[in-house]
Amino acid sequence: QVQLVESGGGLVQAGGSLRLSCAASGSRFSTYAMGWYRQAPGKQRTLVASISSGSNTNYADSVEGRFTISRDNAKNTVYLQMNSLIPEDTAVYYCKADLYDDMWRRVAYWGQGTRVTVSS
């Protein structure tokens, strides 16, 4: 069982920045593919950014150039640096880990989410 705990959300004015953190349990964190997703009320949960075990990254078009995902395997932590925030970024942000269990099945784990509110 992998535990994920997000932090760093809060209130920020448009144009400001936040850095979200996701701390993961497990001794094999470096093998996990990690992602950040977000969900606003009444909307689908969508991918924001992902980072592979080899640190290859992908971004949603809506955040590319403004957000940066990174990982620190020594700290079992993935980050989402959010710059030039706009009100449309307002959502609950969730951390996800994708890995393979002891039966070699692909499984996903989710954190509890951290809320980001961007005011105009």
Side-chain angles (χ1 to χ4, degrees):
Q1 184 73 25
V2 173
Q3 304 284 336
L4 303 172
V5 180
E6 302 99 330
S7 61
L11 301 172
V12 64
Q13 289 189 321
S17 297
L18 285 173
R19 188 174 77 158
L20 307 184
S21 298
C22 173
S25 66
S27 62
R28 296 184 291 277
F29 174 79
S30 63
T31 73
Y32 304 167
M34 303 295 298
W36 286 98
Y37 291 70
R38 66 187 182 187
Q39 187 170 27
K43 295 185 178 180
Q44 294 179 297
R45 187 175 298 186
T46 59
L47 175 70
V48 176
S50 62
I51 185 165
S52 73
S53 61
S55 293
N56 295 314
T57 58
N58 290 287
Y59 298 92
D61 289 345
S62 59
V63 308
E64 192 160 20
R66 299 188 297 121
F67 291 9
T68 302
I69 189 170
S70 61
R71 67 194 298 157
D72 186 339
N73 290 336
K75 296 182 178 179
N76 271 32
T77 301
V78 63
Y79 303 97
L80 185 68
Q81 179 66 48
M82 309 166 67
N83 298 328
S84 302
L85 285 160
I86 58 176
E88 290 76 13
D89 296 321
T90 296
V92 177
Y93 284 70
Y94 297 91
C95 181
K96 187 182 79 166
D98 287 286
L99 56 138
Y100 295 89
D101 66 13
D102 58 350
M103 297 294 291
W104 302 103
R105 299 172 297 197
R106 185 173 183 267
V107 295
Y109 295 89
W110 294 86
Q112 83 288 349
T114 186
R115 188 176 300 274
V116 172
T117 303
V118 184
S119 63
S120 61

